[in-house]
Amino acid sequence: MGRNEGACLICGEALEYFREAQEMECSICHKKYTGYASCRHGHYVCDRCHEEKGLGAIVEQCGKSTLKNPVSIIQAVMENPYIYMHGPEHHVLVGAALLTAYRNSGGQINLDAALREMESRGSGYPGGACGLWGCCGAAASAGMFVSIVTEATPLSSKPWALSNQMTARALDAIAGLGGPRCCKRNSFTAAKEAVLFTRKNLGIAMELPEKIQCGFSNENRQCLGKNCPYYGPGTDRRETDLKQAGFAR
Ligand SMILES: [Zn+2]
Ligand SMILES: [Zn+2]
C-alpha cells in the first residue's frame, strides 16, 4: 500500500505549506485547529487523526520486538500502512524503537510503561516542527528516549544535560544532511546518533546495521536521491518489487 508520497491523506494532492498559521477544520474529525498545511482542495488533517492508528502500531510492534537494532525496528514498523511517508508519528517511532532496542540490549527499564510515556510525549510534538521551529521531531524523540531511561526532569542535573545533548547531537547530524525534510532520513540519522551516544554515555551497546539502506525513495517526492547517505541500489521499492515478481530489468 502506498503512503501517498507525503501528500494529502484525503485526495492524494501535494500539500502546500503556509508561513503563518491558519485556522482550519480537520477533514476527518471536523474539529478546528490552527495549522500550516493543506492541499489545494483545502483538505487539512490534524496531527491526532494523522497519527492515531500509526501510534497503536508502533507501541504494539515495539512491545513484541526482540531486536537490539533500533534502525531495523524502525524499518519494520515503517512497513505498516498507517505509518505515512512523512508525519508526526515519527516523533514517537524513533524513541519507541530506541527504548525497545535499549531494553533488548540489557537496559533496565519497564518497556511497556516506557512506551506509553514515549507515546504521550512524542505525540505532543507537532508535525512540521523541523521547518517551523528549527527542531526536528526525530531528534527531539531521541532526546525523549534519553530523558525516559535516565528519568530526567527539568530539575535533574546529569540526566537533564544528557537529554539535551542527545537532541543536539541528533539535530546537528540531521541538519548536516540538508533539506527538504524527510521523516525517513531524519529517523535513521537520529537513531544512529542515539546508538553511538548511548554506548558512550550510558554503557548500553545497541546494534546498528552495517549499512543503512532506505526503501522509501520512490514514495518521497522530495528525496535527495544520491545526495542522501541511505539511498542506493534497491532503494527504489517498485524496482525491487518488480525483480521479486520476476520482471527484473
Ligand atoms: Zn486533499
Ligand atoms: Zn482530526
Side-chain angles (χ1 to χ4, degrees), residues 8-13 39-43:
C8 174
L9 293 193
I10 308 298
C11 73
E13 281 284 338
C39 79
R40 68 189 177 91
H41 300 302
H43 298 135

Side-chain angles (χ1 to χ4, degrees), residues 26 28-30 33 46 49:
C26 172
I28 295 176
C29 69
H30 301 291
Y33 293 92
C46 76
C49 289

Side-chain angles (χ1 to χ4, degrees), residues 27-100:
S27 301
I28 295 176
C29 69
H30 301 291
K31 286 185 190 146
K32 288 215 166 81
Y33 293 92
T34 50
Y36 289 88
S38 72
C39 79
R40 68 189 177 91
H41 300 302
H43 298 135
Y44 161 76
V45 176
C46 76
D47 279 356
R48 186 73 227 155
C49 289
H50 197 285
E51 69 191 3
E52 197 172 19
K53 287 182 178 148
L55 295 188
I58 292 168
V59 171
E60 194 192 338
Q61 277 184 257
C62 286
K64 288 184 199 158
S65 175
T66 56
L67 298 177
K68 296 176 179 172
N69 183 327
V71 174
S72 301
I73 298 170
I74 286 171
Q75 287 175 323
V77 177
M78 281 176 176
E79 293 299 328
N80 185 290
Y82 290 110
I83 308 295
Y84 301 105
M85 177 61 223
H86 306 292
E89 55 272 23
H90 295 83
H91 306 165
V92 174
L93 174 56
V94 172
L98 285 165
L99 289 167
T100 305

Side-chain angles (χ1 to χ4, degrees), residues 47 51 87-89 91-92 119-130 133-141 144 167 171:
D47 279 356
E51 69 191 3
E89 55 272 23
H91 306 165
V92 174
E119 182 181 6
S120 162
R121 295 187 195 184
S123 63
Y125 203 86
C130 52
W133 289 9
C135 188
C136 164
S141 191
M144 291 173 204
T167 305
L171 200 56

